[in-house]
Amino acid sequence: MKNIRLIIFDFDGTLGDTRRNILLTMRQTMEELSLPVADDEACAATIGLPLRDCFVQLYPDISDEMADQCAATYRRIFDINKKRFVPALFPHVRTTLQQLHAQGFKLTVASSRSSASLREFLSDMDVIDYISFILGADDVRHAKPDPEPVLLTLSACGVPAAEALVVGDMPVDILMGARAGAKTCGVTYGNASADDLRAAGADVLIDDFAELLSLV
């Protein structure tokens, strides 16, 4: 992977350790709307999907109206929880981003979180200066695992797919990158298992974010 110039990162489970906030907020949303409370494993399996789609996956028979209500309720509760339980970067993320940026790599984020939320988290976590392009769920018509987020990033940065690496913790990240023609790297410390990432076709797996430095 020595020809990589652009690295496209997922956020939740890859850069930011938001699992506790996400699972807590999902559980509270279900309780408030009197829905059967799904277990943590089932909820974690939806991380990376657009918010509305998370609830559709958990409740296949849910109405469109209820799915929209779930998403709105989740957003309201999450805004409260993120102030009570402040998410943190995973180990070595800040120093690794700093070194990659200094070495001339283009660093971007493509997430199913809203672009405003991404900018807020990246700013609060003091890494936004290393990120040259941010793409959220509200910036695309087709979310992960569709390749659109990667294709839009490639176009915006003027970099061909062959020189791009997508880094994420969920199978949807790997599928998104591969379908766009980019190389893919799965991180094993996030919300999916190494076996799930391999099954999705990840080109390489890393157990520590700092391993990116030797990878590219």
Side-chain angles (χ1 to χ4, degrees):
M1 294 190 182
K2 298 304 181 182
N3 65 330
I4 297 300
R5 291 197 292 132
L6 168 67
I7 307 178
I8 304 170
F9 297 104
D10 169 53
F11 180 76
D12 295 286
T14 301
L15 300 180
D17 186 3
T18 54
R19 180 185 175 99
R20 177 184 182 185
N21 283 27
I22 290 172
L23 297 186
L24 173 63
T25 304
M26 292 192 80
R27 185 164 58 251
Q28 291 174 329
T29 297
M30 297 167 192
E31 291 171 348
E32 180 170 320
L33 297 178
S34 299
L35 293 168
V37 177
D39 60 32
D40 284 354
E41 183 178 355
C43 291
T46 70
I47 295 175
L49 295 174
L51 184 53
R52 187 182 184 280
D53 292 351
C54 294
F55 292 96
V56 172
Q57 179 167 309
L58 290 168
Y59 307 105
D61 296 327
I62 196 171
S63 67
D64 289 344
E65 181 180 2
M66 179 56 77
D68 290 338
Q69 188 175 352
C70 286
T73 302
Y74 178 99
R75 291 189 183 97
R76 173 175 53 78
I77 297 174
F78 190 87
D79 282 341
I80 298 170
N81 287 340
K82 71 182 180 183
K83 298 170 185 176
R84 297 173 55 206
F85 309 106
V86 181
L89 293 171
F90 282 104
H92 309 134
V93 167
R94 181 178 288 105
T95 55
T96 300
L97 291 178
Q98 183 180 37
Q99 292 180 64
L100 290 169
H101 182 266
Q103 292 172 18
F105 289 95
K106 290 180 180 286
L107 308 178
T108 74
V109 172
S111 169
S112 293
R113 183 176 293 282
S114 73
S115 55
S117 178
L118 288 170
R119 291 182 184 278
E120 181 180 3
F121 273 127
L122 292 167
S123 179
D124 289 346
M125 293 171 169
D126 197 28
V127 294
I128 197 167
D129 289 344
Y130 306 130
I131 306 299
S132 60
F133 184 73
I134 297 170
L135 189 146
D138 48 323
D139 297 315
V140 301
R141 294 182 61 189
H142 305 290
K144 307 174 186 181
D146 190 275
E148 182 182 350
V150 172
L151 295 174
L152 289 177
T153 301
L154 295 174
S155 177
C157 296
V159 176
E163 297 178 8
L165 175 67
V166 174
V167 181
D169 72 307
M170 295 294 284
V172 290
D173 300 311
I174 304 304
L175 293 170
M176 172 185 68
R179 290 170 180 174
K183 298 294 185 183
T184 59
C185 172
V187 301
T188 62
Y189 54 77
N191 295 297
S193 69
D195 287 343
D196 289 339
L197 294 167
R198 287 193 194 96
D203 292 307
V204 65
L205 300 181
I206 59 174
D207 302 318
D208 187 305
F209 195 80
E211 293 177 49
L212 280 174
L213 293 169
S214 59
L215 184 63
V216 298

